[in-house]
PDB file of all heavy atoms in Angstrom:
ATOM      1  N   TRP A  37      20.141 105.239  48.301  1.00  0.00           N
ATOM      2  CA  TRP A  37      19.425 105.930  49.264  1.00  0.00           C
ATOM      3  C   TRP A  37      20.175 106.613  50.264  1.00  0.00           C
ATOM      4  O   TRP A  37      20.814 105.811  51.005  1.00  0.00           O
ATOM      5  CB  TRP A  37      18.293 105.072  49.878  1.00  0.00           C
ATOM      6  CG  TRP A  37      17.164 104.561  48.888  1.00  0.00           C
ATOM      7  CD1 TRP A  37      15.840 105.150  48.808  1.00  0.00           C
ATOM      8  CD2 TRP A  37      17.290 103.487  47.982  1.00  0.00           C
ATOM      9  NE1 TRP A  37      15.189 104.322  47.841  1.00  0.00           N
ATOM     10  CE2 TRP A  37      16.019 103.373  47.281  1.00  0.00           C
ATOM     11  CE3 TRP A  37      18.196 102.544  47.598  1.00  0.00           C
ATOM     12  CZ2 TRP A  37      15.639 102.499  46.303  1.00  0.00           C
ATOM     13  CZ3 TRP A  37      17.868 101.636  46.516  1.00  0.00           C
ATOM     14  CH2 TRP A  37      16.582 101.524  46.016  1.00  0.00           C
ATOM     15  N   LEU A  38      20.289 107.873  50.204  1.00  0.00           N
ATOM     16  CA  LEU A  38      21.082 108.528  51.316  1.00  0.00           C
ATOM     17  C   LEU A  38      20.299 108.849  52.565  1.00  0.00           C
ATOM     18  O   LEU A  38      19.046 108.810  52.491  1.00  0.00           O
ATOM     19  CB  LEU A  38      21.678 109.862  50.767  1.00  0.00           C
ATOM     20  CG  LEU A  38      22.610 109.649  49.385  1.00  0.00           C
ATOM     21  CD1 LEU A  38      23.176 111.052  49.214  1.00  0.00           C
ATOM     22  CD2 LEU A  38      23.631 108.650  49.683  1.00  0.00           C
ATOM     23  N   LYS A  39      20.835 108.869  53.734  1.00  0.00           N
ATOM     24  CA  LYS A  39      20.097 109.140  54.919  1.00  0.00           C
ATOM     25  C   LYS A  39      19.331 110.351  54.771  1.00  0.00           C
ATOM     26  O   LYS A  39      19.752 111.328  54.123  1.00  0.00           O
ATOM     27  CB  LYS A  39      21.183 109.120  56.106  1.00  0.00           C
ATOM     28  CG  LYS A  39      21.751 107.694  56.245  1.00  0.00           C
ATOM     29  CD  LYS A  39      22.789 107.924  57.415  1.00  0.00           C
ATOM     30  CE  LYS A  39      23.507 106.432  57.626  1.00  0.00           C
ATOM     31  NZ  LYS A  39      24.537 106.622  58.613  1.00  0.00           N
ATOM     32  N   ALA A  40      18.148 110.426  55.494  1.00  0.00           N
ATOM     33  CA  ALA A  40      17.265 111.603  55.460  1.00  0.00           C
ATOM     34  C   ALA A  40      17.953 112.875  55.888  1.00  0.00           C
ATOM     35  O   ALA A  40      17.641 114.028  55.385  1.00  0.00           O
ATOM     36  CB  ALA A  40      16.086 111.184  56.346  1.00  0.00           C
ATOM     37  N   ASP A  41      18.932 112.757  56.866  1.00  0.00           N
ATOM     38  CA  ASP A  41      19.555 113.991  57.297  1.00  0.00           C
ATOM     39  C   ASP A  41      20.845 114.445  56.507  1.00  0.00           C
ATOM     40  O   ASP A  41      21.488 115.298  56.881  1.00  0.00           O
ATOM     41  CB  ASP A  41      19.939 113.835  58.775  1.00  0.00           C
ATOM     42  CG  ASP A  41      20.978 112.661  59.086  1.00  0.00           C
ATOM     43  OD1 ASP A  41      21.271 112.013  58.168  1.00  0.00           O
ATOM     44  OD2 ASP A  41      21.514 112.654  60.136  1.00  0.00           O
ATOM     45  N   THR A  42      20.956 113.812  55.217  1.00  0.00           N
ATOM     46  CA  THR A  42      22.044 114.214  54.420  1.00  0.00           C
ATOM     47  C   THR A  42      21.773 115.638  54.046  1.00  0.00           C
ATOM     48  O   THR A  42      20.886 116.019  53.442  1.00  0.00           O
ATOM     49  CB  THR A  42      22.153 113.335  53.283  1.00  0.00           C
ATOM     50  OG1 THR A  42      22.281 111.953  53.730  1.00  0.00           O
ATOM     51  CG2 THR A  42      23.406 113.641  52.419  1.00  0.00           C
ATOM     52  N   THR A  43      22.904 116.417  54.114  1.00  0.00           N
ATOM     53  CA  THR A  43      22.832 117.862  53.750  1.00  0.00           C
ATOM     54  C   THR A  43      22.885 118.093  52.249  1.00  0.00           C
ATOM     55  O   THR A  43      23.563 117.131  51.499  1.00  0.00           O
ATOM     56  CB  THR A  43      23.795 118.820  54.574  1.00  0.00           C
ATOM     57  OG1 THR A  43      25.052 118.460  54.043  1.00  0.00           O
ATOM     58  CG2 THR A  43      23.665 118.731  55.955  1.00  0.00           C
ATOM     59  N   ALA A  44      22.612 119.281  51.746  1.00  0.00           N
ATOM     60  CA  ALA A  44      22.897 119.592  50.299  1.00  0.00           C
ATOM     61  C   ALA A  44      24.316 119.514  49.998  1.00  0.00           C
ATOM     62  O   ALA A  44      24.713 119.021  48.891  1.00  0.00           O
ATOM     63  CB  ALA A  44      22.272 120.968  50.051  1.00  0.00           C
ATOM     64  N   ASP A  45      25.061 120.063  50.950  1.00  0.00           N
ATOM     65  CA  ASP A  45      26.598 120.037  50.685  1.00  0.00           C
ATOM     66  C   ASP A  45      27.078 118.517  50.625  1.00  0.00           C
ATOM     67  O   ASP A  45      28.030 118.229  49.735  1.00  0.00           O
ATOM     68  CB  ASP A  45      27.377 120.769  51.693  1.00  0.00           C
ATOM     69  CG  ASP A  45      27.251 122.280  51.582  1.00  0.00           C
ATOM     70  OD1 ASP A  45      26.778 122.713  50.486  1.00  0.00           O
ATOM     71  OD2 ASP A  45      27.536 122.994  52.659  1.00  0.00           O
ATOM     72  N   GLN A  46      26.632 117.742  51.484  1.00  0.00           N
ATOM     73  CA  GLN A  46      27.018 116.389  51.465  1.00  0.00           C
ATOM     74  C   GLN A  46      26.492 115.709  50.238  1.00  0.00           C
ATOM     75  O   GLN A  46      27.276 114.819  49.604  1.00  0.00           O
ATOM     76  CB  GLN A  46      26.366 115.581  52.786  1.00  0.00           C
ATOM     77  CG  GLN A  46      27.083 115.848  53.988  1.00  0.00           C
ATOM     78  CD  GLN A  46      26.409 115.308  55.151  1.00  0.00           C
ATOM     79  OE1 GLN A  46      25.138 115.369  55.264  1.00  0.00           O
ATOM     80  NE2 GLN A  46      27.150 114.791  56.082  1.00  0.00           N
TER      81      GLN A  46
END
Side-chain angles (χ1 to χ4, degrees):
W37 286 260
L38 300 184
K39 293 177 181 174
D41 62 351
T42 303
T43 67
D45 287 344
Q46 288 173 315

